[in-house]
Amino acid sequence: MSSLLIKSASQIITPKPGELRGQAIKQLTEHTYTSIFIQDDIIQAIAPVDELLSRIPGDCQIIDASGKAVLPGFVDSHTHLVFGGHRENEFAQRCAGITYEEIAKQGGGILSTVNATRSMSQEELIERGLLYLQKAVRHGTTSIEIKSGYGLDRDTELKILRVIDKLKEIQPVEITSTFLGAHAIPPNKSKSDYIQEIKDMLPEATVLADFCDVFCELGYFSVQESLDILCEAKKFGLIPRMHTNQFNNIGGIQGAIEIGAVAVEHLETLDDTDIAMLAGTDICTTMLPGVSLFLKIPYAPGRKILDAGCIPVLATDFNTGSCMTLNMPLILNLACTQMGFSMPEAVSAATQNGAYALGKENVGCIAPGWQADLMILDSDNYQNLIYFYGEPQIEKVIKKGNIIFDRNLSWKVPGLE
Ligand code: NIG
Ligand code: FE
């Protein structure tokens, strides 16, 4: 049995357990000058070190955390981390004034990444996946969701799901997998044929994925088409979630409620009626402020969503087209500076509520009985992580009781080289 003591941390910060909304999301619990005792992958106790001495075995690994703040690892619950190619040229075009939607209409956008992803082997995609996961860990992420969606044909969609499956096996970050065959309509195929092809992929996708997602948007999948796909996916045991209300409000929220989606994600065009509808549900409202920054589109109405009592979640949406970052602390900064989140709300939305969105029950808090997924900062106040934006401040990352990143030893994450 391996054990780890994080000794005398200046500050240990944790959200409350369970899905957080309203008053509960505003309140972080703070322990000062306290230690965390971990055995195997579980937190056993949080107490001053003298009270823990009798329980600590002789071979216990000890980390001195005096002068440092400790937080739960981030749960980045929305990414498209497996893709081929890069779209820096499109970024340059956008910087010169061409919009994301115009680039997509010219055959760029998602479809250009689809071509690059189709031409890469499973091994090449795994190698790139490892590289990106390494970056995610350095930003404090210990659990992550990854979607397919850059294949748009049977072979490539399943190849991406197999890459995600392999990544689960060979490195320490905990991965949840989502089938997003309905990310766009492939060229040279009618939409109805492609929807049938997506449905035909479901028996194999369900073995590899936990969730099914659709891009419910003008020019992509209508509400009715989205529900048709998600309804079929449910029959195979996949849990529905939706990319919706990114550029246009086409009624995706009503659809998500109808189908029993676990989360609605993006929400940049969410209106007051949608917010009122969501407030009465257990559907997670996942906001992706990195996309608004990167694409220069409006931010989701975060403050209104929080005040209405919805379940807010923050994630990166990491992908090569609309959000080229895995930096969760930056996402929290954007939520606070651009969307009206308080710092405790931002931390709760990126940890405990992210875990809830992925159906993870003992992840996202620092408390006895919870999985030991933590980060240790190089300063004594968690607020610095959001305040000193863009600056690396995470010294160590611990996943299931193992140190997977130690900035003082190496910038490399073992298993992620
Ligand atoms: O979540 N909105 C749809 N899909 C991605 C963007 C994908 C891309 O541009 O490659 C998103 O933002
Ligand atoms: Fe996305």
Side-chain angles (χ1 to χ4, degrees):
M1 190 182 282
S2 66
S3 48
L4 176 66
L5 179 72
I6 299 170
K7 195 177 145 202
S8 306
S10 294
Q11 184 187 55
I12 299 168
I13 285 292
T14 180
K16 296 185 177 310
E19 76 273 23
L20 300 172
R21 55 172 120 207
Q23 284 306 312
I25 194 173
K26 296 185 201 300
Q27 296 155 5
L28 296 175
T29 304
E30 179 178 351
H31 308 271
T32 47
Y33 306 106
T34 308
S35 302
I36 306 173
F37 177 51
I38 298 162
Q39 246 163 354
D40 292 332
D41 51 351
I42 301 293
I43 297 169
Q44 303 294 329
I46 301 172
V49 72
D50 320 345
E51 290 173 31
L52 293 171
L53 284 176
S54 62
R55 299 178 65 178
I56 300 170
D59 62 354
C60 182
Q61 187 178 3
I62 297 175
I63 297 172
D64 181 4
S66 50
K68 305 192 190 295
V70 182
L71 288 101
F74 290 124
V75 180
D76 189 353
S77 64
H78 181 140
T79 83
H80 306 246
L81 183 141
V82 175
F83 54 81
H86 284 119
R87 308 218 305 260
E88 61 272 53
N89 292 337
E90 288 183 12
F91 180 67
Q93 279 181 289
R94 288 199 290 104
C95 291
I98 304 174
T99 68
Y100 178 80
E101 281 161 308
E102 282 161 358
I103 291 170
K105 276 191 196 127
Q106 292 159 12
I110 295 175
L111 294 182
S112 70
T113 304
V114 167
N115 290 332
T117 309
R118 285 180 180 174
S119 67
M120 281 181 88
S121 70
Q122 204 164 302
E123 290 66 36
E124 287 169 321
L125 288 169
I126 290 170
E127 209 170 297
R128 284 170 57 112
L130 289 174
L131 196 83
Y132 293 135
L133 285 167
Q134 173 129 230
K135 293 183 193 297
V137 171
R138 290 174 188 160
H139 291 301
T141 296
T142 49
S143 297
I144 200 163
E145 181 260 11
I146 307 178
K147 300 169 200 301
S148 71
Y150 287 120
L152 307 187
D153 63 26
R154 178 186 194 81
D155 286 354
T156 320
E157 282 300 311
L158 294 174
K159 175 173 76 178
I160 298 170
L161 291 179
R162 281 195 296 271
V163 167
I164 299 170
D165 205 45
K166 189 70 188 170
L167 290 171
K168 281 185 192 175
E169 227 180 84
I170 61 175
Q171 57 73 53
V173 181
E174 195 168 333
I175 298 174
T176 303
S177 173
T178 298
F179 173 52
L180 176 60
H183 195 192
I185 298 99
N188 312 321
K189 206 166 271 177
S190 75
K191 205 201 279 192
S192 57
D193 283 355
Y194 185 53
I195 290 176
Q196 188 53 50
E197 192 177 338
I198 292 171
K199 291 181 182 173
D200 293 341
M201 292 181 219
L202 288 170
E204 283 154 282
T206 192
V207 179
L208 295 161
D210 306 299
F211 294 92
C212 184
D213 199 346
V214 294
F215 187 20
C216 180
E217 179 59 58
L218 279 187
Y220 294 84
F221 297 89
S222 69
V223 177
Q224 212 185 337
E225 289 157 348
S226 299
L227 297 194
D228 181 29
I229 294 163
L230 293 174
C231 181
E232 198 61 23
K234 266 174 92 168
K235 293 184 195 157
F236 287 90
L238 289 166
I239 302 164
R241 52 196 294 175
M242 284 167 79
H243 274 72
T244 187
N245 292 65
Q246 181 178 8
F247 299 110
N248 298 283
N249 190 341
I250 60 168
I253 300 304
Q254 184 67 51
I257 294 171
E258 225 172 273
I259 198 73
V262 69
V264 285
E265 317 193 25
H266 269 290
L267 312 181
E268 291 85 344
T269 65
L270 206 65
D271 65 26
D272 291 353
T273 317
D274 293 325
I275 295 174
M277 280 195 288
L278 286 165
T281 72
D282 288 336
I283 301 177
C284 294
T285 47
T286 302
M287 290 166 262
L288 311 163
V291 176
S292 300
L293 177 78
F294 202 67
L295 294 187
K296 288 190 264 178
I297 62 172
Y299 286 85
R303 189 67 251 160
K304 284 186 175 179
I305 290 172
L306 284 153
D307 288 342
C310 299
I311 305 172
V313 178
L314 288 169
T316 59
D317 195 18
F318 172 61
N319 72 81
T320 177
S322 72
C323 191
M324 193 64 187
T325 189
L326 285 152
N327 187 331
M328 282 294 281
L330 175 63
I331 299 303
L332 273 66
N333 174 278
L334 292 172
C336 292
T337 59
Q338 310 299 314
M339 298 166 78
F341 278 66
S342 67
M343 287 194 188
E345 287 168 336
V347 169
S348 301
T351 55
Q352 181 50 205
N353 277 1
Y356 177 74
L358 298 183
K360 296 191 173 297
E361 282 179 0
N362 70 340
V363 171
C365 285
I366 303 181
W370 288 64
Q371 192 165 286
D373 296 357
L374 319 162
M375 69 181 99
I376 303 176
L377 306 189
D378 60 11
S379 70
D380 61 0
N381 186 340
Y382 86 95
Q383 292 172 334
N384 289 323
L385 189 62
I386 304 174
Y387 161 63
F388 199 172
Y389 68 99
E391 178 69 12
Q393 294 173 78
I394 297 168
E395 208 170 82
K396 289 186 179 59
V397 177
I398 292 159
K399 178 68 188 176
K400 295 186 178 174
N402 295 305
I403 303 169
I404 60 167
F405 170 62
D406 186 340
R407 198 179 73 186
N408 298 327
L409 294 179
S410 159
W411 280 83
K412 294 240 185 291
V413 177
L416 281 176
E417 287 155 75

